[in-house]
Amino acid sequence: MRRPFAARAGALLAATLLVGAFAVPASAAEGDDGFTVKDPRITESSGLAASHQHPGIYWTHNDQDSGSYLYAVDSSTGETVARITLSGVGLQRDVEAIAIGPDNQIYVGDIGDNDGVTWPYVWIYRLPEPKKLTDQTIRATQYVVKYTDGSRDAESMIVHPRTGRVYIIDKHEDGGHLYEGPAKLSASGTNVFKPVATVDLWATDAAFSPDGTQLAVRGYFGGIQYDWNGGDLKREGRLDVPLQRQGESLSYSADGTKLMYGSEGTGSSVVAEDAPGGGSASKSPSGKGGSDTASDSSGFSAATGSVKFGALAVAVVVAVFFGFRRLLRRN
């Protein structure tokens, strides 16, 4: 049955505005402005780190994989340009994080506990970032990690870009803690991590700014920007975390001007937002990071939300109005 023209026009307008309200911006396919992961082997991208040696390359990995692999993704195309196989490590359990420290060293955090096993210890792997992006096998150093207060589920591991010290943030619905590792990890003994600060978020990933002065922490629906302050965290403001299927990863762009937000799933998108204090995203007069628009507890910009849902409301009103007028004419 053919629908009345006015009703069809109203429905089309509503659908158009609805798609526009939730679509990924066009810039999301332009390198450090965002990209889509195209490799069908990457189904559970749980960590993200900008390369220090290869402009536009981001390292990622699966939560659980058939082997110990890292993937180098070209942000200008979304294609994988190299897959690294880690040797010298055991069978991975739940790899949740990746970071790059001083001297182009890649750190991989096998620190998760998806199955609620409460592991008595977890692992961190370290390997040099390859100078050439080709499929290859690289031997990694494996470190055993324990916490002073018992087993933890964690998805966030960060490495300070100046000191090389490794930190872990545990994942807890009511907020967690920043755990500090020893000044230098030992491959021959157990590395004990101790809580040194609270983190007011159910954290799924975190990242240091390239200069090591800022710490960004994300969750599924929100994020917080901290001034690092030598490890004595000072909260600066909320982050504009995009709405994603399962927001799992976070990285600064190599130049520090963008925060890159990744998610799990085949063909997942990495969304770029201006980093507080970097690039075009300058600090507000109050000194707090993020944009000047208010954000709710999910980190979703209130102004942006108002525009999107306002547009949708207008579309619905138009559709109902013209549909009702058509009905009156027929009667």
Side-chain angles (χ1 to χ4, degrees):
M1 181 178 66
R2 295 184 62 187
R3 289 180 294 172
F5 172 79
R8 286 188 286 119
L12 178 61
L13 177 60
T16 301
L17 289 178
L18 179 60
V19 170
F22 292 100
V24 176
S27 63
E30 299 171 3
D32 282 344
D33 288 331
F35 58 97
T36 297
V37 177
K38 297 180 179 179
D39 191 333
R41 297 172 297 181
I42 304 174
T43 59
E44 296 179 308
S45 177
S46 295
L48 195 68
S51 170
H52 286 187
Q53 298 189 94
H54 308 287
I57 296 297
Y58 286 84
W59 292 98
T60 189
H61 55 81
N62 282 318
D63 186 332
Q64 293 175 313
D65 212 330
S66 57
S68 296
Y69 303 118
L70 300 181
Y71 301 85
V73 180
D74 185 342
S75 62
S76 66
T77 64
E79 301 284 357
T80 296
V81 294
R83 185 174 80 162
I84 305 303
T85 302
L86 276 62
S87 67
V89 302
L91 181 64
Q92 68 178 34
R93 295 169 177 163
D94 186 2
V95 180
E96 292 288 355
I98 186 170
I100 300 181
D103 302 321
N104 299 319
Q105 296 292 304
I106 298 177
Y107 293 76
V108 181
D110 194 348
I111 57 176
D113 189 8
N114 271 343
D115 300 323
V117 178
T118 61
W119 307 109
Y121 57 87
V122 292
W123 296 310
I124 290 174
Y125 315 129
R126 179 178 60 83
L127 66 152
E129 183 180 20
K131 294 181 180 180
K132 293 184 178 180
L133 293 177
T134 60
D135 289 358
Q136 56 189 291
T137 297
I138 299 178
R139 187 170 185 83
T141 302
Q142 181 168 323
Y143 302 100
V144 175
V145 170
K146 289 186 176 182
Y147 304 98
T148 57
D149 50 359
S151 61
R152 300 279 143 181
D153 181 21
E155 296 188 1
S156 310
M157 180 202 66
I158 49 178
V159 182
H160 196 275
R162 292 181 177 174
T163 68
R165 197 163 199 157
V166 183
Y167 299 84
I168 295 173
I169 301 173
D170 64 341
K171 182 183 179 183
H172 195 278
E173 189 173 355
D174 297 325
H177 292 83
L178 175 75
Y179 285 80
E180 180 185 73
K184 186 176 181 179
L185 296 178
S186 170
S188 59
T190 299
N191 298 275
V192 179
F193 280 58
K194 60 182 181 180
V196 293
T198 59
V199 175
D200 304 322
L201 194 69
W202 191 13
T204 61
D205 204 2
F208 273 119
S209 60
D211 63 4
T213 62
Q214 300 293 305
L215 174 65
V217 185
R218 75 160 299 173
Y220 293 119
F221 306 109
I224 300 175
Q225 183 83 6
Y226 291 97
D227 178 51
W228 177 243
N229 195 38
D232 182 16
L233 302 183
K234 293 187 179 296
R235 180 168 172 160
E236 290 197 327
R238 291 192 176 276
L239 298 173
D240 290 327
V241 176
L243 197 61
Q244 295 175 302
R245 283 182 290 184
Q246 187 172 339
E248 289 277 349
S249 58
L250 174 67
S251 174
Y252 274 87
S253 59
D255 64 4
T257 61
K258 299 287 186 179
L259 279 170
M260 312 294 288
Y261 296 92
S263 63
E264 288 194 358
T266 303
S268 61
S269 63
V270 175
V271 179
E273 298 285 353
D274 289 332
S280 60
S282 59
K283 289 187 178 181
S284 64
S286 65
K288 296 186 180 296
S291 62
D292 292 335
T293 57
S295 297
D296 61 18
S297 60
S298 68
F300 182 72
S301 168
T304 303
S306 297
V307 171
K308 291 177 180 178
F309 289 102
L312 179 58
V314 169
V316 172
V317 170
V318 170
V320 172
F321 175 75
F322 283 104
F324 184 67
R325 285 187 60 187
R326 180 70 175 179
L327 181 62
L328 288 177
R329 290 174 182 174
R330 291 180 61 185
N331 293 333

